[in-house]
Amino acid sequence: MSRRVRRKAIQTKEKEKAPSRKHSDFYPEIFHLESRDEEVDWASLPDDTVVQLFSYLNYRDRASLASTCRTWRFLGSSPCLWTSLDLRAHKCNAGTASSLASRCANLQKLRFRGSESANSIIHLQARNLRKISGDYCRDITDATLSVIAARHEALESLQIGPDFCERISSDAVKAIALCCSRLNRLRLSGLREVDGDAINALAKHCKNLIEIAFMDCVNVDEVALGSVASVKFLSVAGTRNMKWTIVSPLWSKLPNLLGLDVSRTDISPAAVSRLLSSSKSLKVMCALSCPVLEEESSHTGFNVKGKLFLALFSDIFKGIASLLPQITMKEKNIFSEWRILKNVDRTINEMMNWLEWVLSHSLLRIAESNPPGLDSFWLRQGSALLLSLMQSLQEDVQERAATGLATFVVIDDENATVDCGRAEAVMRDGGINLLLDLARSCREGVQSEAAKAIANLSVNAKVAKAVADEGGISILADLARSMNRLVAEEAAGGLWNLSVGEEHKGAIAEAGGVKALVDLIFKWPSGGDGVLERAAGALANLAADDKCSMEVALAGGVHALVMLARSCKFEGVQEQAARALANLAAHGDSNSNNAAVGQEAGALEALVQLTCSHHEGVRQEAAGALWNLSFDDRNREAIAAAGGVEALVALAQTCTNASQGLQERAAGALWGLSVSEANSIAIGREGGVGPLIALARSESEDVHETAAGALWNLAFNPGNALRIVEEGGVPALVHLCSTSGSKMARFMAALALAYMFDGSCFYRMDEVALIGSSSEGTSKTVTLDGARRMALKHIEEFVLTFSDPQSFSVAAASSAPAALAQVAESARIQEAGHLRCSGAEIGRFVSMIRNPSPILRACAAFALLQFTIPGGRHAIHHAGLLQKAGAGRILRAAAAAATAPIEAKIFARIVLRNLEHHQVEAAL
């Protein structure tokens, strides 16, 4: 974000002048303007220009523009705009399809997603359809596919996959054969069975069928496949039931077979050799990730003259280059060189297009399964192959290659772990620029998959920097504004991963990313759990930055995130929304977001409710949010009024075996609430003492600090102090005071013990014990004197750890400021400067300075030293409270007392010096 308002305004103006600058390189004839200052009269554009513009829009945007005037309505219905339709990003039910039907008379190519869309295709009334491609149709049935075939007799290409369509059987394949005699390409995935009758029907009725792909099927009749004489390209990738001793002699007799894909099957070396040597027509055989082949130590038998064999252990680029001897450029550029060649043999073009398709499919499947031992392959050629395929002219190959890049770099999906070597290999081979170019495409399917790849790669810090340096943040921010939910979702994921880096947060805000992310929440408040989780996650990261947190609030982020916390039932969204609210509330000293979150209707109630979630991450983030919010006095009381005390005590009771993060936040939230005396009493009454003592025994230093802080606040009340003794809290606090690796935890444990046994509280505890403990209502036998002796012993040991005898002797013999400063610096606990005490607490320490116990006098002076050290967040506040309490006289008396321990005297002198410093500072 620019520090200069003027400069920021200039940048914004430039962007407004060229909103489509990223498209101008691709479509200069449309976007070029004679003058930057010239205003476009859209109504006067030539008809062919409007039609061309319409062609770059999805059908919904096209319909919106067509509704603006009669002329554009007529142009928007031009048949040339409706030859191809991609419905994957939109929910297409019967009503939607019927509304589009009037425009679809000449529709030839259709892409859809999901079984509901499949059931709606017939309502388009597009009887001239030539190509149908369906994604993620796991629930599609024989009946649906049969009706599609019956209504579209002109069909030439049918592709259903890549997921497993187990509800499709041979009956549907037979229906396709009977209805679609013009079929030349059939690609089906995950069928449970394709029997001989179905395949024979294809052979009999579909005379032009040149490509068959039955991938990842359970059972395919391999004998019947040998009768499809027209087939040129055959793929049975991932199908495991093949009897290769039968297949080899049968398929080798197929007269037109040019390409065979047996990737991810259990084909044997003998079957490979027999097919390659026996088939007269076969030119290319692809066998990626075939375990039996890769276990063999020698593969020399696969080198048959004039035949190309591709496997993970072969040089794939070199092999493909052998098909095009006229290309002498670098072998890794073979695909890009082929695409610009002219007068290439038609058969070679067919083989290259088919190779692109089967390679992209198999590489994605291999990346999804993530088998061990493939690091060398991915680094040596797999990454480069995917990048080459990303430049294909086939849109589905481009998409699948981008998805492959997004997938192969992730080695642990659960923990979002990315392999650094693989990610950086993509970057070294120019993958970042390629992906950003695809993300700028006008095709939404490609945009979505490219954004997904950018998001996953950006988990790696080096790649994230490269993405930012190449303008990727602005591109992703633009995509996050897309009306296509899938595109916006992946773009939000990219911003989420990039926002992890502190150096990228400002750039995201400057690019308008904050507003785009907030708008996503309002755009898809329900039915878009993926986009909501990513948007909330990105906002959570951005909210951790002070400046960006203010941007989030100004963009309406508080309301949006509270809305998610209140209404969304998806746990991933709840977790990120709560984390975002926690981060927004963490800047209490620098902005007003903490109060703003607390004042948002329903915010505190929603967070309290989320602490009861079954999901640990949700509970943890909700507790963290309540902890941060409790630093505001109004929020603290409102949280208690919303049932926060009861909910957080219940959470603490159940999290002793949970993650350290949840333990820390549960104790921290109780610590924050217990600042209020009324809340402190309520926490004790609800049974909060025991769980906090248990958490004080945690192995985590962070949990030590929050549990000790909560117990310190609770110990201020005599009833709670007695509860701590009764529940075994003294040994726990003594252990913390003596052994914790956190100075802060040891400090607060010592203060809690001092509160409990400073005299007045001790006698009141004794009185409460005689009457009967407030927790059970019956008298308990407690050895308060023994507990007090143990506590005082360890308080003394703690204070002495900050007492260097030589420095104290010099300070005692000299009034020089330097001597006191040296002692103060060695005694300083850095984190203690963040603590904020009330007037009653400061008064308690002032009274403690006059306690008969020299140990408690030293402890009280040591505590006041920590609270008043110059530079501490609340030092001036504490100095003011000490002045109101008349502490100066008491401190001077303690510093001069002949019988006082040297620690108490020196610490008291340092506190007096601190008060003088703050007086001078206030006067200035």
Side-chain angles (χ1 to χ4, degrees), residues 144-406:
T144 298
L145 195 53
S146 298
V147 170
I148 290 174
R151 293 294 184 93
H152 304 99
E153 296 176 354
L155 206 60
E156 296 174 358
S157 174
L158 177 63
Q159 178 176 318
I160 305 293
D163 55 341
F164 298 93
C165 304
E166 297 175 349
R167 300 179 69 182
I168 298 177
S169 70
S170 299
D171 292 340
V173 177
K174 192 182 299 184
I176 293 168
L178 293 171
C179 298
C180 305
S181 60
R182 300 182 190 177
L183 198 68
N184 58 47
R185 178 180 293 119
L186 179 63
R187 296 167 175 169
L188 300 175
S189 294
L191 278 62
R192 63 175 180 266
E193 182 182 24
V194 186
D195 63 22
D197 287 346
I199 295 172
N200 288 331
L202 289 171
K204 179 179 179 181
H205 298 284
C206 302
K207 299 298 185 180
N208 298 319
L209 189 59
I210 63 172
E211 182 181 340
I212 297 176
F214 292 132
M215 299 165 293
D216 299 296
C217 296
V218 177
N219 193 356
V220 176
D221 191 317
E222 66 278 339
V223 174
L225 279 174
S227 68
V228 189
S230 62
V231 70
K232 289 184 178 181
F233 302 102
L234 175 62
S235 175
V236 290
T239 299
R240 298 276 177 165
N241 75 299
M242 296 291 170
K243 301 178 180 64
W244 295 108
T245 55
I246 298 174
V247 163
S248 302
L250 284 173
W251 291 4
S252 62
K253 295 178 183 178
L254 286 168
N256 297 301
L257 187 64
L258 293 173
L260 176 61
D261 179 21
V262 295
S263 298
R264 299 179 293 110
T265 67
D266 57 359
I267 191 170
S268 65
V272 171
S273 298
R274 191 176 300 116
L275 282 164
L276 288 173
S277 59
S278 302
S279 175
K280 294 180 180 180
S281 60
L282 186 63
K283 297 296 183 183
V284 181
M285 187 172 184
C286 191
L288 303 185
S289 193
C290 295
V292 178
L293 296 183
E294 287 156 16
E295 288 172 3
E296 295 289 324
S297 58
S298 174
H299 311 291
T300 55
F302 303 148
N303 297 323
V304 178
K305 187 177 180 180
K307 306 290 177 75
L308 172 59
F309 176 76
L310 302 178
L312 295 183
F313 50 77
S314 68
D315 189 327
I316 295 174
F317 283 111
K318 184 176 181 180
I320 295 173
S322 68
L323 296 174
L324 297 159
Q326 64 268 49
I327 296 178
T328 58
M329 303 291 288
K330 190 176 179 182
E331 289 168 349
K332 282 196 175 183
N333 297 330
I334 186 64
F335 283 105
S336 57
E337 292 295 324
W338 158 69
R339 293 182 195 111
I340 61 175
L341 277 180
K342 296 180 180 179
N343 302 320
V344 180
D345 182 81
R346 179 182 174 183
T347 300
I348 293 294
N349 280 336
E350 287 180 342
M351 282 194 293
M352 291 294 289
N353 280 314
W354 177 77
L355 273 173
E356 282 190 336
W357 195 87
V358 295
L359 285 173
S360 66
H361 190 280
S362 284
L363 289 173
L364 176 55
R365 281 293 193 214
I366 294 167
E368 287 171 340
S369 61
N370 194 26
L374 287 189
D375 280 348
S376 175
F377 165 75
W378 288 121
L379 296 176
R380 181 168 47 86
Q381 56 182 335
S383 170
L385 273 170
L386 289 169
L387 291 174
S388 293
L389 295 171
M390 255 174 37
Q391 301 168 70
S392 170
L393 299 180
Q394 302 178 71
E395 187 175 351
D396 58 341
V397 171
Q398 278 189 323
E399 292 179 18
R400 203 174 292 114
T403 308
L405 279 178

Side-chain angles (χ1 to χ4, degrees), residues 644-656 666-667 670 674 678-695 710-711 714 717 719-720 722-724 726-727 773-776 780:
V645 170
E646 297 83 354
L648 288 166
V649 168
L651 180 61
Q653 289 171 338
T654 60
C655 74
T656 51
L670 287 172
S674 63
N679 289 346
S680 176
I681 294 170
I683 290 169
R685 187 173 59 245
E686 290 294 325
V689 170
L692 287 168
I693 293 171
L695 292 175
L711 289 170
L714 292 177
N717 175 267
N720 284 337
L722 180 59
R723 288 187 179 95
I724 294 171
E726 293 174 339
E727 298 280 353
S773 88
S774 57
S775 60
E776 294 186 6
K780 285 191 174 182

